[in-house]
Amino acid sequence: MDTTGIEDLFDFHRFPKDGLLLLLLLIYFPVGICLMLIRIFIGVHVFLVSCALPESFVRRFVVRVMCSVLGMHVRQKNPRSRDRTVKLYICNHVTKFDHNIINLLTSCSTPQLQGSTGFTCWARGFMEVQSVSSQEAIRETLQRYCSTEGTPPLLLLPEEETTNGRRGLLKFTSWPFSLTRTIQPVALRVTRPLIALNTLNSGWLTELLWTFFAPCTVYQVSWLPPVSRQDSESTQEFANKVQELLACELGLVPTTITKADKAEHIKRKRHMTPPTSTSVRPGPMGLGFVVPGLGADDGRIAKMAQQVKDVLPHIPLNVITRDLAKTNCVDTTITNLLENKDESQAEASGTSFEAPKSSSYCSTSAATIKPAAKSFGKSPADRHLSFQERKEALYNFARRRYIEKHGLELEDDSL
């Protein structure tokens, strides 16, 4: 077995990554929309015709021609290899409509093992298995079906999940190979220009609309000779042998990746997806300058931090930013830093990013605003009484620092 990874078996994006193909898809997009609308109208008539006509060669021929108009072209290789006495066809799984394509070439039945039942199951061309819950009960029911004379052959997809059909096959489950001793492998190759055949977690209706949108989807069906299980072979060994035969015919790699591995991979990718946005809980509204809608805007936080830094240059930026993330308010942060001045200076003492001139200036500026900081009370009432005093001192300090920074001259009484 080859070491093909799970990422190689599935398409995670609908559109191509190549720039030229994306350009061609953009040019084709209006045409694709028109084609999809027209084909939806024709598709309704195809469904009505398939319901009205009885199962026969004429019905299959008419529906096959009408499906070509819908962009689903079916080709057949080695049709004479098809054995009419075989009761079980085994096919690889590429799209949501593989069983419909095989049914256009020969009469067969595909059981609906999971998903919707009732009208939707019938409309999609599945055979509903009634009142069956366990896998053993399903196996017994289908075994009786295969042993009944006059019933059309059974078509099963042992991969149980779709792949992109380009790199490898999922591991075949063994229970379908216990229904009969002889099966006929059917190799299915599907190609489509511009867009992927399927993506993870896409439903059948979505895939149908993309099929109508695409210029065409070509299904190449190859009939392989029937294969019988030997007495010494277990069902899993027989399943692996058929998997290797189909992989060899399609030029793919037989893998040991299962349907459960695909489900686990989808779950893991969903958890690994980074969040699109983060939010910071806004702090209490300050009485001064408030910047609303902080959220995850790092640029706005940096701008607010610089405003605080201009007023309190001796406080490190990381301390200012951390407090702004909590308060979302410039004035509230200034107040918090002044009230906890000793802690801020202790944290700033270990840093050396300020020049000596700036350090001396910081001590002078700290002395300038120190009297206002000392007037802060422990109670909210005391702090409210000193608010105007603190505000005036902070504004005067910021104005003086701006004047000195830009070398402006202003008389002292104007300050």
Side-chain angles (χ1 to χ4, degrees), residues 64 73 82 135 141 171 194 222 240 257 304 326 361:
R64 182 177 175 180
H73 301 278
R82 179 164 55 89
Q135 182 172 306
T141 301
K171 182 178 180 180
L194 298 180
S222 299
N240 294 340
I257 300 171
M304 295 169 65
K326 300 177 182 178
Y361 182 75

Side-chain angles (χ1 to χ4, degrees), residues 81-83 85-92 146 153-156 158 172-187 223-230 233 235 238-246:
S81 298
R82 179 164 55 89
D83 192 339
T85 63
V86 173
K87 300 291 290 185
L88 179 60
Y89 298 147
I90 296 294
C91 182
N92 58 302
C146 292
L154 202 62
L155 172 66
L156 293 180
F172 283 10
T173 185
S174 61
W175 71 265
F177 298 88
S178 64
L179 302 181
T180 61
R181 295 191 63 87
T182 302
I183 61 97
Q184 180 153 27
V186 182
W223 299 92
L224 276 66
V227 181
S228 299
R229 179 164 59 94
Q230 304 298 323
E233 283 183 324
T235 54
F238 187 41
N240 294 340
K241 183 171 72 173
V242 175
Q243 180 192 24
E244 292 177 0
L245 288 174
L246 286 175

Side-chain angles (χ1 to χ4, degrees), residues 88 99 109-114 121 125-129 138 142 145 153-157 175 179:
L88 179 60
H99 63 288
S109 301
T110 304
Q112 173 76 317
L113 302 179
Q114 58 183 359
C121 175
F126 284 110
M127 178 183 68
E128 185 174 355
V129 182
I138 294 176
L142 297 181
Y145 176 88
L154 202 62
L155 172 66
L156 293 180
L157 311 168
W175 71 265
L179 302 181

Side-chain angles (χ1 to χ4, degrees), residues 58-334:
V58 175
R59 174 183 178 273
R60 292 194 296 272
F61 177 78
V62 172
V63 175
R64 182 177 175 180
V65 172
M66 296 182 74
C67 284
S68 299
V69 179
L70 299 179
M72 305 170 71
H73 301 278
V74 184
R75 299 174 182 174
Q76 190 174 193
K77 181 181 177 182
N78 300 328
R80 295 185 178 181
S81 298
R82 179 164 55 89
D83 192 339
R84 299 181 184 275
T85 63
V86 173
K87 300 291 290 185
L88 179 60
Y89 298 147
I90 296 294
C91 182
N92 58 302
H93 202 5
V94 184
T95 71
K96 304 288 186 180
F97 315 106
D98 296 343
H99 63 288
N100 302 109
I101 297 302
I102 304 299
N103 206 16
L104 292 178
L105 302 176
T106 182
S107 179
C108 59
S109 301
T110 304
Q112 173 76 317
L113 302 179
Q114 58 183 359
S116 57
T117 58
F119 175 78
T120 304
C121 175
W122 171 79
R124 293 185 59 194
F126 284 110
M127 178 183 68
E128 185 174 355
V129 182
Q130 299 178 352
S131 304
V132 175
S133 56
S134 65
Q135 182 172 306
E136 183 62 26
I138 294 176
R139 189 187 68 82
E140 292 178 358
T141 301
L142 297 181
Q143 200 168 29
R144 288 195 301 269
Y145 176 88
C146 292
S147 60
T148 304
E149 293 293 335
T151 56
L154 202 62
L155 172 66
L156 293 180
L157 311 168
E159 288 180 286
E160 297 184 329
E161 279 291 345
T162 59
T163 65
N164 56 28
R166 294 193 303 270
R167 293 295 301 273
L169 300 178
L170 294 177
K171 182 178 180 180
F172 283 10
T173 185
S174 61
W175 71 265
F177 298 88
S178 64
L179 302 181
T180 61
R181 295 191 63 87
T182 302
I183 61 97
Q184 180 153 27
V186 182
L188 179 63
R189 181 181 289 106
V190 188
T191 56
R192 176 189 293 169
L194 298 180
I195 58 177
L197 293 171
N198 56 71
T199 57
L200 298 178
N201 284 337
S202 58
W204 69 271
L205 189 57
T206 302
E207 295 298 337
L208 181 63
L209 294 178
W210 281 113
T211 302
F212 290 165
F213 172 86
C216 63
T217 305
V218 180
Y219 293 83
Q220 179 76 41
V221 180
S222 299
W223 299 92
L224 276 66
V227 181
S228 299
R229 179 164 59 94
Q230 304 298 323
D231 295 335
S232 58
E233 283 183 324
S234 64
T235 54
Q236 187 59 62
E237 291 173 343
F238 187 41
N240 294 340
K241 183 171 72 173
V242 175
Q243 180 192 24
E244 292 177 0
L245 288 174
L246 286 175
C248 182
E249 174 67 21
L250 295 170
L252 305 179
V253 175
T255 71
T256 57
I257 300 171
T258 64
K259 170 187 175 182
D261 295 332
K262 177 183 178 181
E264 181 64 25
H265 185 72
I266 294 174
K267 186 185 302 183
R268 186 164 56 249
K269 283 187 69 69
R270 187 180 296 118
H271 290 330
M272 289 174 59
T273 303
T276 56
S277 63
T278 57
S279 59
V280 178
R281 179 181 296 179
M285 296 287 288
L287 296 176
F289 178 68
V290 178
V291 180
L294 178 63
D297 195 346
D298 295 335
R300 187 169 297 177
I301 292 180
K303 184 178 179 181
M304 295 169 65
Q306 189 59 45
Q307 292 174 354
V308 179
K309 184 71 175 175
D310 289 340
V311 178
L312 303 174
H314 59 288
I315 306 296
L317 274 176
N318 62 331
V319 177
I320 298 173
T321 304
R322 185 165 61 245
D323 195 83
L324 279 173
K326 300 177 182 178
T327 63
N328 193 19
C329 174
V330 172
D331 277 357
T332 304
T333 295
I334 293 174

Side-chain angles (χ1 to χ4, degrees), residues 44-68:
V44 174
H45 291 76
V46 174
F47 176 73
L48 295 177
V49 168
S50 64
C51 294
L53 295 178
E55 176 60 37
S56 62
F57 172 78
V58 175
R59 174 183 178 273
R60 292 194 296 272
F61 177 78
V62 172
V63 175
R64 182 177 175 180
V65 172
M66 296 182 74
C67 284
S68 299

